[in-house]
Amino acid sequence: MGIHFERAGKGPTLLLLHGIGSNLRSWRYQLEGLSDEFEVIAWDAPGYGKSSDSSVPEEEFRIKHFAEALAGLMDELNLEKVHILGLSMGGVIAQEFYQDYTQRVLSLILADTNRGGGVKPEAERLEQLQNRLKGADKPAELARRRAPALLSPNAAPQLIAEVTSIMAEIRPNGYRRAAYAMSHANHTDLLPNIAVPTLIICGEQDSVTPPRESEILHQNILNSRLVLLPNAGHVSNQEQPALFNQAVRQFLKAQAN
């Protein structure tokens, strides 16, 4: 399976994992803003962007399949250990990768994310899954309806347009696989076992995964720090890139000392 990625800079390697309604285009501020001190690599997850689809049947696809693909990309790039930054679904993938490939993770940065959809009551979990499956066949319509909710109420029109454009690029097959994967994920039991330094970032106005979700991660991951970004919604890396990058930079530089 071919995984597409973009790579910038030199230094400690930081892998960037996008959310369920996105692709690597959402990381342009981090590829530009952090590559002066770090090797920054953003992927298109299987079924997204320019990456090929997974061969695993949709209803059987799980977060572990994303983690396996990420390990394969690291092997291809001869990367033994990396720092991983995952936003939203990307944060769930990052947790799964740590669980399955612990020795390959130097640190975790979990942004605007949660433990997975499997923590929800069954009726709520199934409703969210069905809503996502229904929206998959009309990406442009889904993007127009959904993208503004990923941002704070005062987001600039050009940013809303950019987020909408990126979401409109989702591929139905990949999005459906991701929906099934997210619906079954539950990393509640993993959190106390995370032993690498962990930074948790959340937009203060994130209505998709509210700060309370990040607080749960922070309370259960022993060696973690929580940073709330003002005037930012769910895609805090795009809405407040300077503050987001500053938090990431300070965290990563602290790991080198």
Side-chain angles (χ1 to χ4, degrees), residues 12-229:
T13 301
L14 174 65
L15 290 185
L16 307 178
L17 312 179
H18 62 76
I20 192 169
S22 192
N23 57 47
L24 66 75
R25 285 180 57 207
S26 64
W27 293 113
R28 71 181 180 94
Y29 296 109
Q30 285 66 52
L31 286 163
E32 296 169 2
L34 294 171
S35 57
D36 59 331
E37 292 189 272
F38 308 99
E39 178 185 47
V40 186
I41 301 173
W43 81 340
D44 282 328
Y48 284 81
K50 298 179 182 178
S51 291
S52 60
D53 280 327
S54 171
S55 60
V56 178
E58 290 179 5
E59 294 186 17
E60 298 175 17
F61 197 84
R62 298 292 183 267
I63 293 294
K64 70 176 182 180
H65 295 114
F66 282 125
E68 290 169 359
L70 185 60
L73 177 62
M74 287 178 59
D75 291 342
E76 177 185 334
L77 299 178
N78 295 314
L79 298 172
E80 183 177 349
K81 294 184 177 183
V82 296
H83 303 278
I84 298 181
L85 193 176
L87 186 139
S88 194
M89 180 184 75
V92 180
I93 296 171
Q95 293 169 62
E96 182 77 16
F97 188 85
Y98 177 84
Q99 176 177 269
D100 297 344
Y101 303 93
T102 305
Q103 299 305 315
R104 305 191 74 169
V105 180
L106 293 169
S107 72
L108 290 171
I109 304 173
L110 306 176
D112 298 273
T113 191
N114 53 45
R115 294 159 288 160
V119 304
K120 298 178 182 292
E122 186 67 1
E124 186 178 343
R125 181 187 74 83
L126 290 175
E127 180 181 11
Q128 182 181 52
L129 173 60
Q130 291 307 313
N131 286 338
R132 280 178 167 163
L133 294 176
K134 284 188 294 185
D137 291 329
K138 297 180 178 179
E141 181 180 310
L142 174 66
R144 284 193 300 270
R145 174 170 50 86
R146 185 64 179 157
L150 304 182
L151 298 159
S152 71
N154 298 318
Q158 60 267 32
L159 180 58
I160 296 174
E162 180 179 14
V163 173
T164 302
S165 171
I166 293 171
M167 181 175 278
E169 294 176 351
I170 61 173
R171 305 209 309 266
N173 289 344
Y175 189 76
R176 282 194 292 265
R177 282 183 173 84
Y180 279 110
M182 284 293 288
S183 179
H184 288 88
N186 184 348
H187 291 132
T188 300
D189 293 340
L190 168 66
L191 300 185
N193 298 317
I194 293 178
V196 295
T198 302
L199 174 64
I200 301 161
I201 303 175
C202 187
E204 286 186 344
Q205 294 176 283
D206 186 343
S207 61
V208 178
T209 55
R212 175 59 186 154
E213 295 292 330
S214 291
E215 290 168 2
I216 291 173
L217 296 178
H218 177 48
Q219 290 165 4
N220 287 278
I221 299 174
L222 182 61
N223 189 16
S224 67
R225 181 187 175 211
L226 173 61
V227 173
L228 298 179
L229 300 184

